[in-house]
PDB file of all heavy atoms in Angstrom:
ATOM      1  N   PHE A 149     -24.647 -10.695 -30.374  1.00  0.00           N
ATOM      2  CA  PHE A 149     -23.866 -11.906 -30.061  1.00  0.00           C
ATOM      3  C   PHE A 149     -22.376 -11.469 -30.072  1.00  0.00           C
ATOM      4  O   PHE A 149     -21.991 -10.557 -30.793  1.00  0.00           O
ATOM      5  CB  PHE A 149     -24.122 -12.987 -31.122  1.00  0.00           C
ATOM      6  CG  PHE A 149     -25.471 -13.585 -31.043  1.00  0.00           C
ATOM      7  CD1 PHE A 149     -26.563 -12.949 -31.610  1.00  0.00           C
ATOM      8  CD2 PHE A 149     -25.657 -14.823 -30.410  1.00  0.00           C
ATOM      9  CE1 PHE A 149     -27.839 -13.499 -31.555  1.00  0.00           C
ATOM     10  CE2 PHE A 149     -26.924 -15.381 -30.359  1.00  0.00           C
ATOM     11  CZ  PHE A 149     -28.006 -14.681 -30.920  1.00  0.00           C
ATOM     12  N   ILE A 150     -21.579 -12.158 -29.262  1.00  0.00           N
ATOM     13  CA  ILE A 150     -20.139 -11.928 -29.206  1.00  0.00           C
ATOM     14  C   ILE A 150     -19.406 -13.199 -29.530  1.00  0.00           C
ATOM     15  O   ILE A 150     -19.754 -14.316 -29.077  1.00  0.00           O
ATOM     16  CB  ILE A 150     -19.807 -11.363 -27.765  1.00  0.00           C
ATOM     17  CG1 ILE A 150     -18.249 -10.995 -27.766  1.00  0.00           C
ATOM     18  CG2 ILE A 150     -20.057 -12.386 -26.682  1.00  0.00           C
ATOM     19  CD1 ILE A 150     -17.859 -10.245 -26.542  1.00  0.00           C
ATOM     20  N   ASN A 151     -18.382 -13.080 -30.338  1.00  0.00           N
ATOM     21  CA  ASN A 151     -17.499 -14.201 -30.615  1.00  0.00           C
ATOM     22  C   ASN A 151     -16.681 -14.507 -29.393  1.00  0.00           C
ATOM     23  O   ASN A 151     -15.889 -13.630 -28.961  1.00  0.00           O
ATOM     24  CB  ASN A 151     -16.647 -13.963 -31.871  1.00  0.00           C
ATOM     25  CG  ASN A 151     -15.912 -15.121 -32.370  1.00  0.00           C
ATOM     26  OD1 ASN A 151     -15.197 -15.816 -31.666  1.00  0.00           O
ATOM     27  ND2 ASN A 151     -16.064 -15.430 -33.611  1.00  0.00           N
ATOM     28  N   LEU A 152     -16.767 -15.745 -28.860  1.00  0.00           N
ATOM     29  CA  LEU A 152     -16.031 -16.057 -27.687  1.00  0.00           C
ATOM     30  C   LEU A 152     -14.560 -16.163 -27.793  1.00  0.00           C
ATOM     31  O   LEU A 152     -13.817 -16.279 -26.789  1.00  0.00           O
ATOM     32  CB  LEU A 152     -16.604 -17.325 -27.080  1.00  0.00           C
ATOM     33  CG  LEU A 152     -18.114 -17.335 -26.719  1.00  0.00           C
ATOM     34  CD1 LEU A 152     -18.594 -18.635 -26.174  1.00  0.00           C
ATOM     35  CD2 LEU A 152     -18.412 -16.211 -25.675  1.00  0.00           C
ATOM     36  N   GLU A 153     -14.031 -16.176 -29.014  1.00  0.00           N
ATOM     37  CA  GLU A 153     -12.626 -16.279 -29.206  1.00  0.00           C
ATOM     38  C   GLU A 153     -12.012 -14.910 -29.599  1.00  0.00           C
ATOM     39  O   GLU A 153     -10.965 -14.535 -29.123  1.00  0.00           O
ATOM     40  CB  GLU A 153     -12.326 -17.308 -30.286  1.00  0.00           C
ATOM     41  CG  GLU A 153     -10.832 -17.527 -30.525  1.00  0.00           C
ATOM     42  CD  GLU A 153     -10.528 -18.671 -31.525  1.00  0.00           C
ATOM     43  OE1 GLU A 153     -11.551 -19.296 -32.009  1.00  0.00           O
ATOM     44  OE2 GLU A 153      -9.372 -18.937 -31.851  1.00  0.00           O
ATOM     45  N   THR A 154     -12.662 -14.212 -30.508  1.00  0.00           N
ATOM     46  CA  THR A 154     -12.116 -12.915 -31.004  1.00  0.00           C
ATOM     47  C   THR A 154     -12.712 -11.770 -30.263  1.00  0.00           C
ATOM     48  O   THR A 154     -12.209 -10.642 -30.444  1.00  0.00           O
ATOM     49  CB  THR A 154     -12.366 -12.763 -32.505  1.00  0.00           C
ATOM     50  OG1 THR A 154     -13.801 -12.773 -32.685  1.00  0.00           O
ATOM     51  CG2 THR A 154     -11.771 -13.854 -33.311  1.00  0.00           C
ATOM     52  N   THR A 155     -13.752 -11.899 -29.470  1.00  0.00           N
ATOM     53  CA  THR A 155     -14.445 -10.858 -28.701  1.00  0.00           C
ATOM     54  C   THR A 155     -15.109  -9.847 -29.596  1.00  0.00           C
ATOM     55  O   THR A 155     -15.418  -8.723 -29.121  1.00  0.00           O
ATOM     56  CB  THR A 155     -13.544 -10.210 -27.642  1.00  0.00           C
ATOM     57  OG1 THR A 155     -12.611  -9.391 -28.372  1.00  0.00           O
ATOM     58  CG2 THR A 155     -12.874 -11.177 -26.785  1.00  0.00           C
ATOM     59  N   LYS A 156     -15.367 -10.112 -30.884  1.00  0.00           N
ATOM     60  CA  LYS A 156     -16.038  -9.239 -31.792  1.00  0.00           C
ATOM     61  C   LYS A 156     -17.539  -9.448 -31.585  1.00  0.00           C
ATOM     62  O   LYS A 156     -18.043 -10.540 -31.446  1.00  0.00           O
ATOM     63  CB  LYS A 156     -15.665  -9.453 -33.218  1.00  0.00           C
ATOM     64  CG  LYS A 156     -14.194  -9.135 -33.513  1.00  0.00           C
ATOM     65  CD  LYS A 156     -13.867  -9.318 -35.002  1.00  0.00           C
ATOM     66  CE  LYS A 156     -12.422  -8.927 -35.326  1.00  0.00           C
ATOM     67  NZ  LYS A 156     -12.128  -9.149 -36.730  1.00  0.00           N
ATOM     68  N   VAL A 157     -18.334  -8.296 -31.659  1.00  0.00           N
ATOM     69  CA  VAL A 157     -19.706  -8.327 -31.420  1.00  0.00           C
ATOM     70  C   VAL A 157     -20.427  -8.121 -32.770  1.00  0.00           C
ATOM     71  O   VAL A 157     -20.041  -7.336 -33.550  1.00  0.00           O
ATOM     72  CB  VAL A 157     -20.086  -7.182 -30.448  1.00  0.00           C
ATOM     73  CG1 VAL A 157     -21.603  -7.200 -30.217  1.00  0.00           C
ATOM     74  CG2 VAL A 157     -19.357  -7.395 -29.148  1.00  0.00           C
ATOM     75  N   TYR A 158     -21.473  -8.901 -32.978  1.00  0.00           N
ATOM     76  CA  TYR A 158     -22.318  -8.895 -34.215  1.00  0.00           C
ATOM     77  C   TYR A 158     -23.785  -8.792 -33.854  1.00  0.00           C
ATOM     78  O   TYR A 158     -24.226  -9.250 -32.781  1.00  0.00           O
ATOM     79  CB  TYR A 158     -22.039 -10.111 -35.066  1.00  0.00           C
ATOM     80  CG  TYR A 158     -20.645 -10.291 -35.517  1.00  0.00           C
ATOM     81  CD1 TYR A 158     -19.698 -11.000 -34.771  1.00  0.00           C
ATOM     82  CD2 TYR A 158     -20.265  -9.770 -36.767  1.00  0.00           C
ATOM     83  CE1 TYR A 158     -18.384 -11.150 -35.187  1.00  0.00           C
ATOM     84  CE2 TYR A 158     -18.905  -9.937 -37.225  1.00  0.00           C
ATOM     85  CZ  TYR A 158     -18.013 -10.615 -36.438  1.00  0.00           C
ATOM     86  OH  TYR A 158     -16.765 -10.791 -36.881  1.00  0.00           O
ATOM     87  N   VAL A 159     -24.552  -8.240 -34.771  1.00  0.00           N
ATOM     88  CA  VAL A 159     -25.990  -8.153 -34.658  1.00  0.00           C
ATOM     89  C   VAL A 159     -26.598  -9.118 -35.659  1.00  0.00           C
ATOM     90  O   VAL A 159     -26.308  -9.054 -36.864  1.00  0.00           O
ATOM     91  CB  VAL A 159     -26.527  -6.701 -34.918  1.00  0.00           C
ATOM     92  CG1 VAL A 159     -28.059  -6.773 -35.054  1.00  0.00           C
ATOM     93  CG2 VAL A 159     -26.082  -5.782 -33.815  1.00  0.00           C
ATOM     94  N   LEU A 160     -27.322 -10.075 -35.150  1.00  0.00           N
ATOM     95  CA  LEU A 160     -28.021 -11.082 -35.974  1.00  0.00           C
ATOM     96  C   LEU A 160     -29.544 -10.865 -35.992  1.00  0.00           C
ATOM     97  O   LEU A 160     -30.056 -10.321 -34.979  1.00  0.00           O
ATOM     98  CB  LEU A 160     -27.680 -12.462 -35.423  1.00  0.00           C
ATOM     99  CG  LEU A 160     -26.239 -12.880 -35.526  1.00  0.00           C
ATOM    100  CD1 LEU A 160     -26.118 -14.327 -34.986  1.00  0.00           C
ATOM    101  CD2 LEU A 160     -25.629 -12.824 -36.884  1.00  0.00           C
ATOM    102  N   PRO A 161     -30.306 -11.215 -37.022  1.00  0.00           N
ATOM    103  CA  PRO A 161     -29.807 -11.880 -38.187  1.00  0.00           C
ATOM    104  C   PRO A 161     -29.182 -11.069 -39.330  1.00  0.00           C
ATOM    105  O   PRO A 161     -28.854 -11.599 -40.333  1.00  0.00           O
ATOM    106  CB  PRO A 161     -31.094 -12.558 -38.686  1.00  0.00           C
ATOM    107  CG  PRO A 161     -32.201 -11.491 -38.328  1.00  0.00           C
ATOM    108  CD  PRO A 161     -31.705 -10.954 -36.964  1.00  0.00           C
TER     109      PRO A 161
END
Side-chain angles (χ1 to χ4, degrees):
F149 292 80
I150 186 171
N151 189 306
L152 299 179
E153 185 175 356
T154 63
T155 69
K156 292 183 179 180
V157 180
Y158 297 88
V159 169
L160 297 181

